[in-house]
Amino acid sequence: MMMENGLSMEYGDGYMEQEEEWEREGLLDPAWEKQQKKTFTAWCNSHLRKAGTAIDNIEEDFRNGLKLMLLLEVISGETLPKPDRGKMRFHKIANVNKALDFIASKGVHLVSIGAEEIVDGNLKMTLGMIWTIILRFAIQDISVEEMTAKEGLLLWCQRKTAPYKNVNVQNFHLSFKDGLAFCALIHRHRPDLIDYAKLSKDNPLENLNTAFDVAEKYLDIPRMLDPDDLINTPKPDERAIMTYVSCYYHAFQGAQQAETAANRICKVLKVNQENERLMEEYERLASDLLEWIRRTMPWLNSRQADNSLAGVQKKLEEYRTYRRKHKPPRVEQKAKLETNFNTLQTKLRLSNRPAYLPTEGKTVSDISNSWKGLELAEKAFEEWLLAETMRLERLEHLAQKFKHKADAHEDWTRGKEEMLQSQDFRQCKLNELKALKKKHEAFESDLAAHQDRVEQIAAIAQELNTLEYHDCVSVNARCQRICDQWDRLGALTQRRRTALDEAERILEKIDILHLEFAKRAAPFNNWLDGTREDLVDMFIVHTMEEIQGLIQAHDQFKATLGEADKEFNLIVNLVREVESIVKQHQIPGGLENPYTTLTANDMTRKWSDVRQLVPQRDQTLANELRKQQNNEMLRRQFAEKANIVGPWIERQMDAVTAIGMGLQGSLEDQLHRLKEYEQAVYAYKPNIEELEKIHQAVQESMIFENRYTNYTMETLRVGWEQLLTSINRNINEVENQILTRDSKGISQEQLNEFRSSFNHFDKNRTGRLSPEEFKSCLVSLGYSIGKDRQGDLDFQRILAVVDPNNTGYVHFDAFLDFMTRESTDTDTAEQVIDSFRILAADKPYILPDELRRELPPDQAEYCIQRMPPYKGPNGVPGALDYMSFSTALYGETDL
C-alpha cells in the first residue's frame, strides 16, 4: 500500500498540476499531447483487442464509460459492477464513476479528475486518467532493487543496454530519440531479430522504424510512437515513451520468469498436498469420535429402570465395563486428534499458510465441548445409578428392618396374652404372690419400653408406603395385626395388676435377699460383660505412643481386680444365704429370684473367664509392641532415602527449567545439555526403584504416616514423572526452534534476541505472554504499533495470527514463528497468481495443456482437478480460473 500511495501521489495526483506548471513556464510542448494521445490509444487497444474491440478517438470513445469499464476488467482480470446501458448523460456519468471508483479501490487517489470531464470529452483529463491507469496496472508492478516504478524501469533499461555502443539511457525522452536504445533492448533479448552491428546513430528514422516494426511483428507490441514525431520534437513526451518501454519490459520479463514460476508452483503444491492429507486425517478422526459420542449420549441420558435393585446393579456393572473397556481407546483417540491438529497447525505456520479451520462442528473446541458434555452425562448417569441403588437398597433395608422388628415383637408377645389371662396367683403362697407382683411390675416396665418398638414398626411401614414398596399390602396387614394385639395387651396388663393389688397383704419372706442380689448382680454382671469385651476387643494402632498407652491402661485395669474379687464374693454369699432360708423353711419356688434372671453360676463362669483373659491380653499387647518397633525402623529407612531423592529431583527440575528459558548458550548447546540431563535422570532411576521397594514394605506393614520426612512416595512419583515430562517437552521445544531457525534462515543472534525479549516480559516464567505483555515485547523489538484506533486494529490482526484459537495467551513457538515471518521472505498469494499469469501468457485464465507443458505431470493434474472453471469474459472451452485457486491456497477454504 505504501508503494501504491507513493506512485499515486507522484504520477497520478500530480498529473494536472505538473501540466499547468509546465504551461505557465512555457515548457509544455503541444506535440506532447499528440504523442500521448497516439501512444495511450495504442496501449488501450493492445488490451481491448483481447475483448474483441478497440477505440479510435480516445477523448470520444471513453465518454459513455462502457469501453473504459471493459478496459479495466481486461487489464485487472476482475469484474466491475454491471454498467448502465442508457444513453443519457447521467448514465454515462454513472458508468465513468464506476470505473473511477474501481481505480480508487486499487489505492489510487484521483485529484482533479471527475466523471463529468471524461463525459464532456476533456482530452487533458482523459489523458491524465489513462496515464493513471497505465501507472497502476502496467508500470507500478515493475520493481528493481526496491526502487520506485519509474526508477526501476530506468535502471532495467540502463542494465540491459549497458554493453551497447552509442547507447546511454539517462531518461525517457532524449535518450530514446535516435532509436538505438529500442534496438538494443530487442537485440539483448532476441539477437536473432536485429543485426545491431549494421545500425548507425546517424539514421534515427531507420533505427526507430526497425525497432517498431520488429516489436510489432515478433513481440506483439503495437506501434505506439511515431518516428517522425520523436525526431522532430525537441524533447519527446516522457509518459508516451515510458508506456511503450514498459511493454518491452513485460514482454521480455515473462520468458525468464516462466521457469521460476513453475518451480514456485511445484513447491507450493507439494506443501498444500501434504497439508490436505493431514486435514483429511483430522476430519476422519473427528467424525469418528463425534459419532461415537453421539451414539453413547442416549444411553448415558437414559433413566429407565425396573425398580429393582438387581436391575440397577446390572446397569451399574454395564457402566463400569464402559469406563474400563470402551472409553479408554476413545481417550487415546482424542489425544491423537489434538496432537495431529497441533502438528498440522505448526506445518501451516512454517509454510506461511493460514491456520486450519476444520469443517463446522468438528473444531477442537467443538470436540472439547462434546467431550465435556459426555463427561457431564457420565457424571449425571453415575450419580443417578448410585442414587437409585441407594434408594432401592434403603427400601430393601427398610423391608428387612420391618420384618426383623416385627419378628422380634411377635416373639416377645408370644404367650403374653395367655400369661396375663392366667389365674395362677390364686394358688400361690405369699412369697410366690409377691414374686408374681414384682414380675408383673417388671413386665409393665418392659411393656412400656416396647411402646417405642411398636411406634418404630408403624413408622417403618408408613415410610415403605411413602417410597412405594412393591409389597405394601402384606406390610400394612402385618402392621395392623401388631397394633391390634398391642391394644389387647395393654388392657389385659391393667386387669391383672388390679387383681394382684387385692392380694397385696401376703407376707414377704425372702424378698429382701433376692432384691439385694438383683441390685448387686446387675451392675457387676454388666462390668463382667464389658471387661470380657474389652479384653478380647481388637485394636488398631499406628505409633509406639498408641501401643504404650494401651499397655499402661491394661496395667491400671489389673490393679482393680482385687476390689472386683471382693464384690464377687459378696454377691455369691447372698445367694448362699437365700438357699439356706429356702432349705430351712421349705418354701416352694423360693430359690427363684423374681427380680432378675441372673444366677450365681453365671457370675462364677464370667468371673473365671475374666481371670483367664487377662494373661492372654498381656501377650497380645507385647506382640503389638514388637510390631510397632519394626514399623518405626521402616519409617526411618524410608525417610532417610526420600530426603535424598526428593531434593535431587527438585534440583534437576530447576536446572531443566533454567535451560528451557533459553538463556544458556545456543540451541544446540541447550539440546545437548537437556539430553545429558535426560541420561542422568534415567541413570538415577535405580534409586527410585529402591525407594519403591521400601515403600512396598511400608504399605505391607500398614504404615500410613511418617513424621521423619515431608516426602511421600506419591509426591516423589509425581515429581519424577514431571521431571521426565519437563525434559521431553523442553527437548521437543528446542528441536522445533532449531527447525524454525533453519527453515526460516534466522541467525542465532536473532533467536537469542527473541528469546531474551520473550523471557523479559514473561515475569512469572510460565512460557507464555498475555496480550499486553506480547504488545510490550513487540515494541521492545522495534515493532511500531500506533496508540490510535488503527494501531489497535493492526495489533488485533497480529494477535489473530499468533493466537488463532483465541486462548488469551501467546506461546513462545507462535511468537518465534511470527518474528521469523516478519524477518524472512515467504510466498504470497499474489506471487503465485503472478506466476500463473506468466505461464498463461498474461491471460486471466489458463488451459490444461499449458499446465501440462510447464509443470511436472503430478502437479499439473493436481491443479487441473482443483482449479474451478473460468467464468470471466473472453473465456474459451476448458479455461481454468487460476486466480481463485491461488487465493484459496492462502485463504480460508475447504481444500
Side-chain angles (χ1 to χ4, degrees):
M1 183 64 69
M2 292 178 62
M3 183 176 289
E4 289 179 7
N5 292 339
L7 287 173
S8 177
M9 290 300 296
E10 183 179 354
Y11 298 106
D13 297 349
Y15 178 83
M16 299 306 301
E17 290 78 352
Q18 190 178 28
E19 291 280 6
E20 293 173 358
E21 181 181 352
W22 288 347
E23 187 174 5
R24 287 195 303 271
E25 296 177 359
L27 299 177
L28 183 62
D29 191 339
W32 288 3
E33 188 173 276
K34 176 182 176 183
Q35 293 176 6
Q36 289 182 16
K37 180 177 179 181
K38 180 174 182 179
T39 302
F40 290 177
T41 300
W43 183 86
C44 292
N45 285 333
S46 69
H47 291 285
L48 288 173
R49 66 183 179 181
K50 299 176 184 178
T53 186
I55 61 171
D56 298 323
N57 192 331
I58 196 169
E59 67 265 33
E60 292 294 332
D61 292 348
F62 285 142
R63 291 179 64 183
N64 61 5
L66 296 177
K67 290 188 176 181
L68 179 58
M69 294 178 68
L70 181 60
L71 173 64
L72 290 173
E73 288 184 340
V74 171
I75 63 178
S76 67
E78 301 181 22
T79 302
L80 273 67
K82 186 177 180 180
D84 295 352
R85 292 298 180 181
K87 297 183 179 181
M88 303 296 291
R89 175 179 173 82
F90 72 88
H91 290 124
K92 299 177 181 180
I93 292 176
N95 290 335
V96 174
N97 273 326
K98 291 177 181 178
L100 296 180
D101 290 342
F102 177 79
I103 296 172
S105 70
K106 298 302 179 181
V108 180
H109 186 202
L110 298 172
V111 176
S112 301
I113 299 179
E116 291 79 1
E117 286 82 355
I118 306 301
V119 173
D120 291 340
N122 187 320
L123 178 59
K124 183 177 296 186
M125 293 298 179
T126 302
L127 292 176
M129 177 189 66
I130 298 302
W131 174 241
T132 301
I133 294 173
I134 293 171
L135 278 176
R136 175 59 182 84
F137 294 100
I139 299 178
Q140 177 178 300
D141 60 347
I142 298 174
S143 177
V144 179
E145 295 186 359
E146 300 183 357
M147 294 184 174
T148 63
K150 178 182 177 181
E151 294 171 346
L153 184 60
L154 184 61
L155 179 59
W156 178 78
C157 293
Q158 291 172 345
R159 288 181 174 178
K160 297 299 181 181
T161 61
Y164 292 88
K165 183 179 179 182
N166 297 325
V167 178
N168 183 16
V169 178
Q170 297 297 326
N171 50 56
F172 287 107
H173 37 79
L174 298 179
S175 297
F176 286 86
K177 282 192 66 173
D178 58 9
L180 288 179
F182 292 116
C183 293
L185 289 174
I186 296 173
H187 184 268
R188 179 63 181 269
H189 296 91
R190 293 291 302 275
D192 57 309
L193 299 180
I194 292 179
D195 187 357
Y196 187 83
K198 294 181 179 181
L199 300 179
S200 173
K201 186 175 180 64
D202 299 329
N203 297 318
L205 183 60
E206 180 184 349
N207 297 340
L208 291 170
N209 280 318
T210 299
F212 296 165
D213 290 341
V214 170
E216 184 174 25
K217 181 177 181 180
Y218 295 102
L219 303 180
D220 198 26
I221 301 175
R223 278 178 171 261
M224 297 183 185
L225 301 173
D226 188 301
D228 294 331
D229 291 342
L230 290 178
I231 295 173
N232 297 327
T233 302
K235 182 179 180 182
D237 182 61
E238 182 182 62
R239 298 182 184 85
I241 294 178
M242 281 183 65
T243 301
Y244 186 61
V245 171
S246 69
C247 294
Y248 279 66
Y249 175 86
H250 290 295
F252 295 134
Q253 280 295 102
Q256 65 187 35
Q257 290 177 347
E259 182 178 354
T260 303
N263 292 334
R264 182 185 296 274
I265 291 172
C266 291
K267 173 186 174 184
V268 170
L269 294 180
K270 285 182 180 178
V271 172
N272 208 64
Q273 285 173 319
E274 175 62 16
N275 292 341
E276 280 186 11
R277 185 190 66 77
L278 291 176
M279 293 176 190
E280 291 171 357
E281 175 69 10
Y282 174 88
E283 293 287 336
R284 183 184 64 77
L285 290 176
S287 299
D288 181 63
L289 182 60
L290 291 174
E291 175 62 21
W292 176 79
I293 293 175
R294 183 191 66 77
R295 294 196 309 269
T296 305
M297 288 296 288
W299 175 67
L300 292 175
N301 292 329
S302 174
R303 297 295 184 269
Q304 296 180 356
D306 57 1
N307 203 30
S308 68
L309 182 60
V312 173
Q313 288 176 340
K314 181 180 179 182
K315 276 186 171 291
L316 185 59
E317 184 59 31
E318 291 174 353
Y319 175 73
R320 289 169 179 166
T321 301
Y322 156 80
R323 291 302 299 267
R324 290 194 305 268
K325 296 183 179 179
H326 300 297
K327 188 179 180 184
R330 298 298 176 174
V331 174
E332 296 176 1
Q333 182 179 359
K334 177 175 178 289
K336 180 180 179 182
L337 187 68
E338 293 172 348
T339 300
N340 289 353
F341 180 82
N342 293 332
T343 301
L344 173 59
Q345 297 293 39
T346 299
K347 290 188 175 182
L348 288 174
R349 286 197 307 271
L350 292 177
S351 60
N352 194 32
R353 299 303 192 272
Y356 167 56
L357 181 63
T359 57
E360 184 176 358
K362 297 180 183 178
T363 63
V364 174
S365 60
D366 291 331
I367 294 173
S368 178
N369 292 334
S370 297
W371 191 264
K372 289 180 181 177
L374 177 71
E375 292 177 336
L376 291 175
E378 289 174 351
K379 181 181 179 183
F381 186 62
E382 185 177 18
E383 289 175 351
W384 174 76
L385 286 174
L386 294 176
E388 192 68 8
T389 302
M390 292 174 63
R391 184 182 74 84
L392 293 174
E393 284 180 345
R394 176 167 177 76
L395 272 178
E396 292 294 330
H397 172 72
L398 285 174
Q400 292 296 324
K401 187 176 182 181
F402 175 85
K403 181 178 181 302
H404 174 72
K405 287 186 175 292
D407 290 343
H409 177 76
E410 289 173 351
D411 288 342
W412 181 82
T413 59
R414 188 175 292 111
K416 293 295 190 294
E417 289 184 311
E418 291 79 3
M419 184 268 293
L420 292 174
Q421 293 173 354
S422 174
Q423 300 295 320
D424 55 347
F425 62 90
R426 302 211 181 264
Q427 288 81 29
C428 291
K429 297 178 181 180
L430 182 61
N431 60 327
E432 294 173 340
L433 183 61
K434 188 67 174 177
L436 287 176
K437 184 180 179 182
K438 295 297 183 182
K439 194 172 184 180
H440 186 72
E441 291 174 354
F443 173 79
E444 286 179 323
S445 300
D446 200 9
L447 185 69
H450 272 73
Q451 177 67 34
D452 290 339
R453 297 185 181 180
V454 175
E455 292 175 356
Q456 290 175 5
I457 291 172
I460 294 173
Q462 179 62 36
E463 188 170 1
L464 288 172
N465 281 273
T466 302
L467 296 177
E468 300 179 355
Y469 182 59
H470 63 88
D471 196 15
C472 286
V473 176
S474 61
V475 170
N476 293 336
R478 191 174 187 184
C479 182
Q480 187 62 46
R481 290 196 301 270
I482 290 173
C483 292
D484 293 342
Q485 185 189 40
W486 184 254
D487 293 337
R488 292 195 303 271
L489 286 175
L492 291 172
T493 300
Q494 185 62 35
R495 191 182 307 164
R496 184 175 177 84
R497 180 173 180 78
T498 301
L500 290 174
D501 287 340
E502 293 178 357
E504 193 174 3
R505 293 187 301 273
I506 301 173
L507 301 175
E508 300 179 357
K509 194 70 174 175
I510 58 174
D511 254 3
I512 296 175
L513 291 174
H514 281 314
L515 182 60
E516 182 68 16
F517 174 83
K519 290 180 178 179
R520 289 184 175 274
F524 189 70
N525 180 67
N526 290 336
W527 181 84
L528 287 174
D529 290 340
T531 299
R532 287 196 305 167
E533 291 178 1
D534 291 342
L535 290 174
V536 299
D537 185 30
M538 299 294 295
F539 57 85
I540 299 176
V541 295
H542 300 290
T543 63
M544 288 289 295
E545 291 77 6
E546 291 177 351
I547 186 60
Q548 290 171 352
L550 289 177
I551 293 173
Q552 183 178 1
H554 184 64
D555 292 339
Q556 294 174 356
F557 161 74
K558 289 192 293 184
T560 64
L561 291 179
E563 292 296 328
D565 187 60
K566 292 179 182 179
E567 181 68 15
F568 170 72
N569 291 327
L570 179 61
I571 292 172
V572 171
N573 290 333
L574 287 174
V575 175
R576 291 172 182 170
E577 187 175 356
V578 171
E579 291 175 347
S580 176
I581 294 173
V582 170
K583 183 177 180 182
Q584 180 181 356
H585 298 283
Q586 296 295 316
I587 300 172
L591 295 178
E592 297 180 4
N593 193 330
Y595 305 110
T596 182
T597 58
L598 295 174
T599 66
N601 292 333
D602 294 336
M603 299 293 103
T604 302
R605 177 177 54 80
K606 292 181 179 181
W607 175 250
S608 177
D609 291 344
V610 169
R611 298 296 296 268
Q612 293 176 2
L613 289 173
V614 169
Q616 295 177 8
R617 186 70 168 186
D618 290 337
Q619 183 62 38
T620 301
L621 291 174
N623 293 338
E624 184 62 29
L625 178 61
R626 288 192 294 273
K627 177 183 176 182
Q628 290 303 321
Q629 289 172 344
N630 181 66
N631 290 352
E632 191 74 5
M633 179 189 70
L634 288 176
R635 287 191 185 94
R636 293 179 182 274
Q637 188 177 359
F638 177 84
E640 180 181 357
K641 190 69 177 178
N643 289 335
I644 296 175
V645 173
W648 186 87
I649 292 176
E650 293 168 358
R651 290 194 300 272
Q652 302 304 306
M653 182 67 76
D654 293 339
V656 170
T657 302
I659 296 175
M661 298 304 297
L663 300 178
Q664 301 183 3
S666 65
L667 290 177
E668 286 75 8
D669 294 338
Q670 296 173 25
L671 182 61
H672 178 70
R673 294 194 61 190
L674 285 171
K675 290 187 176 180
E676 287 181 344
Y677 274 104
E678 183 181 31
Q679 295 174 357
V681 168
Y682 282 115
Y684 198 76
K685 190 175 182 180
N687 294 278
I688 299 295
E689 294 173 348
E690 180 182 355
L691 199 58
E692 287 283 5
K693 293 179 181 178
I694 300 174
H695 178 66
Q696 182 178 353
V698 169
Q699 286 186 323
E700 291 173 352
S701 298
M702 304 296 287
I703 301 173
F704 301 105
E705 56 83 28
N706 193 339
R707 63 179 179 273
Y708 300 112
T709 181
N710 293 325
Y711 295 101
T712 66
M713 196 65 230
E714 182 63 26
T715 58
L716 292 175
R717 288 195 196 105
V718 171
W720 178 260
E721 293 170 358
Q722 289 178 347
L723 177 59
L724 292 176
T725 301
S726 177
I727 292 175
N728 291 331
R729 185 179 65 251
N730 279 282
I731 289 175
N732 179 258
E733 289 179 356
V734 172
E735 289 175 344
N736 286 339
Q737 292 174 25
I738 293 174
L739 176 62
T740 301
R741 181 197 65 189
D742 296 340
S743 64
K744 297 297 183 178
I746 62 175
S747 65
Q748 182 65 42
E749 290 74 15
Q750 288 177 302
L751 195 62
N752 290 341
E753 181 183 4
F754 296 156
R755 168 58 82 175
S756 177
S757 299
F758 187 91
N759 290 344
H760 175 76
F761 292 95
D762 183 13
K763 304 297 184 183
N764 297 327
R765 296 297 183 259
T766 60
R768 63 187 186 184
L769 299 179
S770 65
E772 287 302 321
E773 292 172 340
F774 174 60
K775 186 175 183 180
S776 300
C777 186
L778 289 180
V779 173
S780 72
L781 289 171
Y783 202 94
S784 177
I785 299 177
K787 297 183 178 180
D788 53 3
R789 184 172 179 273
Q790 183 61 40
D792 293 337
L793 293 176
D794 292 340
F795 179 68
Q796 290 302 320
R797 283 194 292 269
I798 295 173
L799 202 59
V801 172
V802 297
D803 185 19
N805 293 328
N806 202 19
T807 62
Y809 293 98
V810 179
H811 294 268
F812 181 71
D813 57 347
F815 168 77
L816 178 60
D817 180 65
F818 172 76
M819 294 307 300
T820 54
R821 282 194 286 112
E822 287 295 308
S823 60
T824 57
D825 183 26
T826 57
D827 297 324
T828 65
E830 289 76 9
Q831 291 175 330
V832 176
I833 290 174
D834 291 341
S835 298
F836 273 117
R837 183 179 291 113
I838 292 169
L839 299 185
D842 206 32
K843 297 191 298 293
Y845 57 84
I846 192 166
L847 298 175
D849 290 341
E850 292 174 330
L851 289 171
R852 293 188 178 100
R853 183 175 65 247
E854 298 293 345
L855 300 179
D858 58 333
Q859 305 293 350
E861 293 303 322
Y862 177 83
C863 293
I864 293 171
Q865 292 176 5
R866 286 164 172 75
M867 278 191 185
Y870 175 71
K871 298 180 180 179
N874 304 318
V876 299
L880 300 176
D881 187 354
Y882 62 79
M883 294 186 182
S884 299
F885 173 77
S886 301
T887 303
L889 290 178
Y890 290 86
E892 295 184 358
T893 176
D894 58 355
L895 285 178

